[in-house]
Amino acid sequence: LEQQLGLAQALPSTPDKPLAPSNGENKSKRLNPIKRKQMEDRAQKLEKEISRLEAAVAQCESSLEQFTSAEASARFTQELEDNRKQLEQCIGEWEDLGRQLET
């Protein structure tokens, strides 16, 4: 019956081998509890920093909407660029930590 259905080739009969991988083959790396806690603390600090930087970016954008002088505009533009760069870096680090903590 197996040969008629083509199952003999699709499912080889090897009762000696378990279907699930053994412990050594697919063992996921567990994080050290101390390292995990440090990473969680860092992620929380990054979340606060991200929030602060988002507010700073919004403030710079708001300041740029109201022209006062060329010098002020140049200063706000530079500050805006710096804040956006820092924000991008913090978000990247936060995402990396999140991926590592998921495992």
Side-chain angles (χ1 to χ4, degrees), residues 21-73:
S22 66
N23 288 342
E25 290 177 356
N26 195 16
K27 188 176 183 180
S28 62
K29 240 183 168 179
R30 290 190 53 198
L31 284 174
N32 177 328
I34 295 171
K35 178 73 171 173
R36 175 176 276 284
K37 177 68 173 143
Q38 291 172 342
M39 291 170 72
E40 289 170 348
D41 291 346
R42 178 66 180 151
Q44 288 178 349
K45 287 179 184 176
L46 284 168
E47 288 172 2
K48 289 178 184 176
E49 182 67 8
I50 287 168
S51 179
R52 185 192 70 77
L53 287 167
E54 287 174 337
V57 165
Q59 178 63 40
C60 286
E61 290 173 342
S62 176
S63 296
L64 283 170
E65 290 176 358
Q66 302 162 356
F67 180 80
T68 54
S69 69
E71 293 83 20
S73 292

Side-chain angles (χ1 to χ4, degrees), residues 85-101:
K85 205 177 290 186
Q86 289 178 11
L87 179 61
E88 187 179 311
Q89 291 171 348
C90 285
I91 290 173
E93 183 180 348
W94 179 77
E95 288 173 344
D96 289 343
L97 282 172
R99 280 190 289 273
Q100 291 175 17
L101 288 170

